[in-house]
Amino acid sequence: MKQLKFGVIGCGEISAATCIGLAASPYTSIAMLMDTRAEALADLADLYSVPTTTDPDAVFTNPDVDAVYIATPHFLHVSLGIRAAKAGKHVLVEKPIATTLEDADKLIMACDKAGVKLGVAYYNQVDDGQRQAAELVRAGVLGDIISVRLNAAANKPASYWQGGYSQRVKADWRTSKAQAGGGILLMNVSHELNAVRFVTGLEVTRVYAESDTLATNIEVEDTIGVVMRYANGAIGVIQAGSAMHGGEYQTLGGPRIYGTKGQLILNPSGTLLKPMIYMSAPAEGSNPGEWKELFFVGKAADRQAIVEGFAKAVLNDQQPPCTGIDGYKALEIVLASYRSSELHQPINLPL
Ligand SMILES: NC(=O)c1ccc[n+]([C@@H]2O[C@H](COP(=O)([O-])OP(=O)(O)OC[C@H]3O[C@@H](n4cnc5c(N)ncnc54)[C@H](O)[C@@H]3O)[C@@H](O)[C@H]2O)c1
């Protein structure tokens, strides 16, 4: 079987997990590992027996590399992605695509110009449950969408800000407005914004946000509330925080989508739960008034699904499941929310 050979750029917390997927998928393989810190390379080099380097040019000039997977701090995604594109490598970039819309545009245009594919590593478009949910919603099973609710009550430990959950790499970029671009909304909720956009096809047209850093010694927000208006008139709310003691006790699942006939609860991104559906009106496979798991063929998305979805698209010369434009759109809602909070006024989209 033809494989897409990846150069991995940035070998920290998430790359260690992504490499498992790259090695497991019949569609992908690891050709080279790169990180500016040699210590982040040692264990992965042992595991995968591939060449390593601390110089990104060694990846860009390596003829064995077809595509790069970029999993660095956010502010570096675009400059590395553009260099890869110019070298003729396909680009799978971790979320968020960039920290500004101007930068996101530059990366999208550089990949277009170079004739290489650009994908963003969100789970939703390759999650079979969310794909089935998208088909149902777009077929009108829920009726008209009237409301959306996104909740992310995380209780991130102090150590997270100095080295992520795993402490694999000690670094404080997640605390920095310039390097991370944002806090919980950008870092985590952008997955769910991408999910709702993918499942409903609806664009956000206005946001009003209140955002602050109330309980953590960091530059980015740790507490945020956003009200969103969608193109069809639906109204959405986001409540998110990274210092929420007790976390999500007894809250079921991810984003909720409310229609005139029923409700859908998506699985939180990257979890193996199944979406749940509730129909008030009679519908095939559903008894009115009963919650049930969505039936779908396939599996919930993991790291392998992300890299495999991208690789299949490149190998078949198709659009990646989550495109640069999808990444741009998720980022736009986040940045509009930050601007709204700074200016204390509603912000219309597109920006
Ligand atoms: N899709 C997901 O669910 C998910 C989960 C976690 C993180 N992420 C994303 O993955 C990216 C990385 O996050 P992380 O948690 O792995 O961070 P991390 O700090 O653990 O790892 C980042 C790595 O990049 C390296 N690096 C820094 N500058 C570099 C450069 N110029 N060239 C090459 N490497 C460089 C660092 O040395 C480090 O090893 C972020 O975009 C983050 O949002 C995605």
Side-chain angles (χ1 to χ4, degrees):
M1 180 180 293
K2 258 194 106 187
Q3 283 189 332
L4 195 68
K5 293 171 274 165
F6 278 84
V8 176
I9 297 188
C11 291
E13 179 164 296
I14 197 64
S15 274
T18 304
C19 281
I20 297 172
L22 284 170
S25 169
Y27 296 93
T28 61
S29 62
I30 306 171
M32 192 172 219
L33 297 163
M34 184 267 151
D35 199 295
T36 42
R37 300 176 188 223
E39 66 271 23
L41 293 165
D43 60 335
L44 299 181
D46 276 355
L47 267 174
Y48 300 111
S49 306
V50 294
T52 64
T53 177
T54 54
D55 174 9
D57 281 327
V59 180
F60 303 142
T61 56
N62 184 338
D64 287 337
V65 170
D66 305 316
V68 296
Y69 164 68
I70 300 174
T72 61
H74 300 165
F75 73 111
L76 297 166
H77 288 179
V78 167
S79 54
L80 288 164
I82 289 175
R83 286 165 71 186
K86 284 185 174 162
K89 310 297 183 192
H90 302 285
V91 178
L92 175 61
V93 66
E94 261 304 339
K95 42 58 58 174
I97 182 173
T99 54
T100 67
L101 291 179
E102 294 73 23
D103 265 6
D105 248 344
K106 282 184 196 161
L107 180 56
I108 292 168
M109 286 192 301
C111 290
D112 272 355
K113 192 169 168 205
V116 297
K117 307 282 186 201
L118 170 62
V120 184
Y122 285 113
Y123 291 97
N124 318 98
Q125 282 88 346
V126 290
D127 183 291
D128 289 323
Q130 294 195 7
R131 290 163 71 100
Q132 165 76 346
E135 274 173 33
L136 291 175
V137 172
R138 287 166 191 236
V141 168
L142 291 188
D144 295 330
I145 304 305
I146 56 170
S147 191
V148 167
R149 191 181 89 190
L150 287 78
N151 249 46
N155 193 8
K156 298 190 179 184
S159 56
Y160 168 87
W161 300 105
Q162 307 304 326
Y165 287 111
S166 65
Q167 300 293 301
R168 177 174 167 77
V169 176
K170 296 277 184 207
D172 64 359
W173 64 267
R174 296 174 183 83
T175 68
S176 155
K177 187 79 184 159
Q179 295 188 22
I184 184 91
L185 192 67
L186 183 62
M187 183 65 96
N188 304 95
V189 182
S190 70
H191 280 287
E192 323 301 340
L193 290 168
N194 177 56
V196 171
R197 184 171 170 272
F198 170 57
V199 169
T200 66
L202 293 173
E203 301 291 358
V204 173
T205 56
R206 187 165 55 244
V207 296
Y208 181 79
E210 292 285 348
S211 170
D212 213 328
T213 311
L214 299 174
T216 324
N217 187 22
I218 53 177
E219 287 175 10
V220 295
E221 87 281 1
D222 66 6
T223 311
I224 187 163
V226 187
V227 176
M228 301 178 286
R229 179 68 87 159
Y230 283 88
N232 74 336
I235 296 171
V237 292
I238 304 173
Q239 183 214 16
S242 52
M244 312 285 256
H245 289 268
E248 282 287 359
Y249 180 61
Q250 287 192 345
T251 308
L252 182 70
R256 289 175 180 242
I257 299 168
Y258 301 86
T260 49
K261 292 185 194 166
Q263 181 190 157
L264 192 68
I265 307 179
L266 298 177
N267 47 321
S269 288
T271 65
L272 302 181
L273 296 175
K274 291 184 174 177
M276 304 277 299
I277 191 161
Y278 175 99
M279 297 299 303
S280 293
E284 202 183 329
S286 263
N287 295 323
E290 268 178 29
W291 278 102
K292 67 172 204 129
E293 279 186 348
L294 207 62
F295 172 77
F296 63 92
V297 178
K299 59 178 187 143
D302 54 12
R303 308 301 306 166
Q304 182 176 336
I306 292 177
V307 294
E308 197 167 291
F310 179 76
K312 283 185 188 169
V314 172
L315 295 170
N316 295 312
D317 195 18
Q318 291 166 348
Q319 282 225 104
C322 182
T323 64
I325 300 290
D326 294 325
Y328 179 104
K329 286 291 181 185
L331 177 66
E332 187 178 40
I333 304 167
V334 171
L335 295 181
S337 302
Y338 291 157
R339 189 180 295 179
S340 168
S341 174
E342 277 159 26
L343 300 178
H344 307 295
Q345 64 186 40
I347 298 291
N348 292 319
L349 292 85
L351 291 179

